[in-house]
Amino acid sequence: MAKKILGFIELVWDCDSCGTTNPGAIKTCSSCGAPQPPNVQFKHVDPQSFNFIKDQALIRAAQSGPDKHCPYCGTRNSADTSICTNCGGDLTIGATSRPVQIIEDSFQEGILPPSQGPMQSVPAPKAKMSLPVKIILVLIVIAFCAGIAVFFTKMNQTDAITGTVSGVSWQHSIQMQGYQSVAESDWLDQIPQGASPYNCEQRYRYSSEKPVANSREVCGEPYTVDTGTGIGRVQQDCHYEVYDDYCSYNTMAWVPVETLVENGTDLSPYWPEVTTSSTLRIGEQKESYTIQFDADGSTYSITTTDLELFQQALPNSRWTLEVNAFGNVRSANPVSSP
């Protein structure tokens, strides 16, 4: 994701020795003279007095890299310094640099100069969930999982009962397809050759890390990066939404035009009669067979696509049924003829 730099701001730090708040660029406490500690935490200046830095020297310092602390006296020195400004120690060996990191303080509305426009504030952290609420949620999840387990257990556990066939029904359907002009839509460069596009409109197509033709920059909320120099770099994560022409066009295609259906309540199912031509063909075909049973004063049924099984369902024939706790027939097999 591309980084967009909005500008640089001066940060502040609190002295560990006397508690004085010092400008970020100052390397020793302005009150007691104590050196800035390597683990110092830089903070934002009061948003009400916020302004981007215009001092080019400070900006160059922020861009040169994080300051480094002398391994002998702890004094903070600029990134390009090789000899400690306080004790003269060699900074090319053993010096530690402050890691560059994001400052967690949230921005507030109105901290940008008028020429830049207002920044959006970073949403405040969500309140932490209390322990009793967590316990209740865990119990709810456990109960839900237990319920699911019981449901699937009952669904898969079956009892074998004997039933007699009390009725049958079947349905055969054939989808007919016609070859005709249809309206489609796609990206302009994906439209089939020879098709004429119309009603084109600009739509978002993909995101790019770099600006490209016909793109729009989209940036997230601004945040400050501690550059390790006492100067903060205000930046945004940005990408580019690329737009392209999305158009309608007409093309010839096979499409459903009607569905022919035959139904019956006997054991001799048949298919609808069809007529085909160069512009009319058979599409999807479906078959469905239902057998009803009486068993112990209750009615059960099973639906299948197995024609051979269906044709064994003679009236009053006895079948072994595997029935689950919800009364659903999981399997059915004939055991004798009437």
Side-chain angles (χ1 to χ4, degrees):
M1 186 168 289
K3 307 292 185 184
K4 182 178 181 180
I5 299 175
L6 302 179
F8 294 87
I9 61 174
E10 188 167 11
L11 304 173
V12 294
W13 59 280
D14 296 329
C15 177
D16 287 347
S17 299
C18 67
T20 299
T21 298
N22 299 275
I26 294 180
K27 297 174 172 54
T28 58
C29 178
S30 59
S31 177
C32 69
Q36 182 191 100
N39 62 347
V40 67
Q41 295 295 316
F42 288 114
K43 302 182 297 183
H44 285 129
V45 182
D46 181 0
Q48 301 304 319
S49 60
F50 174 88
N51 276 296
F52 278 128
I53 291 175
K54 297 181 174 58
D55 188 326
Q56 293 302 311
L58 289 178
I59 293 176
R60 285 193 297 271
Q63 294 172 330
S64 65
D67 293 340
K68 48 193 176 184
H69 290 263
C70 176
Y72 306 104
C73 68
T75 299
R76 174 180 146 203
N77 296 265
S78 300
D80 55 1
T81 304
S82 58
I83 301 296
C84 177
T85 57
N86 181 52
C87 70
D90 185 1
L91 298 179
T92 61
I93 301 175
T96 57
S97 296
R98 176 179 176 78
V100 174
Q101 55 190 328
I102 295 175
I103 295 179
E104 298 298 334
D105 294 349
S106 299
F107 278 115
Q108 298 180 12
E109 293 184 4
I111 62 174
L112 281 178
S115 60
Q116 295 290 336
M119 279 188 179
Q120 296 178 346
S121 61
V122 178
K126 293 182 179 179
K128 292 185 177 180
M129 194 179 299
S130 64
L131 182 59
V133 174
K134 289 182 179 179
I135 294 174
I136 292 173
L137 288 178
V138 170
L139 292 176
I140 291 174
V141 171
I142 292 174
F144 177 78
C145 293
I148 293 295
V150 170
F151 173 82
F152 280 103
T153 299
K154 288 186 175 181
M155 186 176 66
N156 292 316
Q157 285 183 342
T158 59
D159 292 323
I161 62 175
T162 300
T164 58
V165 175
S166 58
V168 297
S169 61
W170 56 268
Q171 183 179 88
H172 282 179
S173 64
I174 299 177
Q175 180 193 82
M176 302 301 296
Q177 297 179 342
Y179 192 65
Q180 55 189 251
S181 177
V182 295
E184 299 285 357
S185 57
D186 206 340
W187 299 108
L188 181 60
D189 59 3
Q190 298 297 314
I191 291 179
Q193 188 175 4
S196 298
Y198 62 92
N199 289 344
C200 295
E201 63 178 6
Q202 288 278 298
R203 289 190 184 182
Y204 164 75
R205 189 167 187 179
Y206 65 93
S207 293
S208 170
E209 295 296 321
K210 299 179 180 179
V212 297
N214 206 30
S215 63
R216 180 174 68 91
E217 185 182 53
V218 178
C219 295
E221 295 175 340
Y223 58 93
T224 300
V225 173
D226 170 7
T227 63
T229 63
I231 304 299
R233 183 175 66 244
V234 182
Q235 62 188 44
Q236 293 172 291
D237 294 328
C238 302
H239 66 275
Y240 296 87
E241 292 185 347
V242 183
Y243 288 77
D244 207 348
D245 283 324
Y246 194 83
C247 306
S248 300
Y249 65 95
N250 292 326
T251 187
M252 298 297 293
W254 289 100
V255 295
V257 292
E258 68 172 322
T259 299
L260 306 176
V261 180
E262 292 289 354
N263 298 282
T265 56
D266 55 24
L267 295 176
S268 301
Y270 56 90
W271 292 95
E273 294 185 4
V274 298
T275 301
T276 60
S277 66
S278 59
T279 59
L280 190 65
R281 71 180 186 183
I282 294 176
E284 184 180 18
Q285 302 180 62
K286 294 182 179 180
E287 55 186 320
S288 175
Y289 310 103
T290 300
I291 308 173
Q292 293 180 338
F293 305 93
D294 286 336
D296 300 329
S298 299
T299 301
Y300 302 91
S301 67
I302 186 171
T303 299
T304 179
T305 58
D306 187 341
L307 176 61
E308 182 178 353
L309 179 68
F310 174 72
Q311 290 182 323
Q312 297 180 62
L314 299 173
N316 298 316
S317 59
R318 297 175 65 246
W319 290 55
T320 298
L321 311 178
E322 294 290 337
V323 182
N324 65 17
F326 301 107
N328 297 321
V329 179
R330 302 301 300 274
S331 67
N333 293 286
V335 295
S336 64
S337 299

